[in-house]
Amino acid sequence: PPGELIDIQSNSSNRNISIQSIGDSKACKILYVDFVRAVGKNQENVQKLLEILSNKIKYHTCIKHNAMAKEKLAAFLLNVLERMGVELKNNNAILLPMSRYDIGSYLGLTSKTVSRILTQFKCNNIVYTSGKKVVVKNIVQLKNIGQQY
């Protein structure tokens, strides 16, 4: 969705970042001083920013570290739903922006593991899948599995 926060660099930071998009994207660079000025004018902005950063940290901790494969995939699906601006409720559908191989690579899993878990989710009526299309059938159960997110 519009407004994805990629990185925050302080004034003293002189480093380059690299991003990769899995779909059509536009990027906008905002100077740190302008960002701080805009966010600092409103306490709600500060709280929203802290919430966004906290969720990103939880998500990346789950994906990159000690989460089980099922938890990683559930958190990934919830994250894709959110990024695509899809409401987290039953029967909402998304088209996965990546192949199962790429999802596995991103999550530190094999494509076979991704396919196996999606099949388990399908058998447990958590999701319905057809190619890259995923329909969430039981959002509560998906959230419970990806609870670290």
Side-chain angles (χ1 to χ4, degrees):
E4 178 68 24
L5 179 62
I6 304 295
D7 189 35
I8 298 176
Q9 297 181 20
S10 69
N11 280 339
S12 62
S13 175
N14 189 17
R15 62 187 169 100
N16 293 321
I17 64 165
S18 175
I19 59 174
Q20 213 172 15
S21 172
I22 56 174
D24 293 339
S25 300
K26 291 181 182 180
C28 174
K29 179 179 178 179
I30 300 173
L31 295 175
Y32 178 79
V33 66
D34 294 334
F35 179 78
V36 170
R37 189 178 311 125
V39 169
K41 287 183 180 179
N42 184 328
Q43 186 62 30
E44 285 181 41
N45 289 344
V46 173
Q47 285 188 283
K48 184 65 177 170
L49 176 63
L50 290 174
E51 181 182 324
I52 290 168
L53 293 174
S54 175
N55 287 339
K56 281 181 168 284
I57 290 168
K58 287 179 196 173
Y59 173 69
H60 286 287
T61 299
C62 173
I63 296 304
K64 297 296 181 188
H65 296 293
N66 56 4
M68 302 288 284
K70 274 201 236 184
E71 293 171 342
K72 288 181 178 188
L73 188 56
F76 174 80
L77 292 173
L78 291 166
N79 185 263
V80 170
L81 284 162
E82 183 182 302
R83 285 173 176 258
M84 292 186 166
V86 176
E87 198 173 341
L88 296 180
K89 64 180 190 178
N90 290 339
N91 298 314
N92 277 347
I94 55 169
L95 287 176
L96 291 175
M98 305 160 72
S99 69
R100 281 159 175 65
Y101 176 84
D102 290 335
I103 293 168
S105 178
Y106 176 72
L107 298 176
L109 306 169
T110 66
S111 59
K112 286 183 181 183
T113 299
V114 171
S115 294
R116 181 178 45 81
I117 293 169
L118 282 173
T119 299
Q120 287 175 3
F121 286 174
K122 190 174 182 177
C123 289
N124 293 328
N125 207 31
I126 299 169
V127 300
Y128 166 79
T129 61
S130 177
K132 286 191 171 190
K133 182 180 181 180
V134 175
V135 179
V136 177
K137 303 303 281 178
N138 189 331
I139 192 69
V140 172
Q141 201 169 357
L142 188 64
K143 283 181 177 181
N144 286 340
I145 295 168
Q147 63 189 327
Q148 291 185 2
Y149 172 73

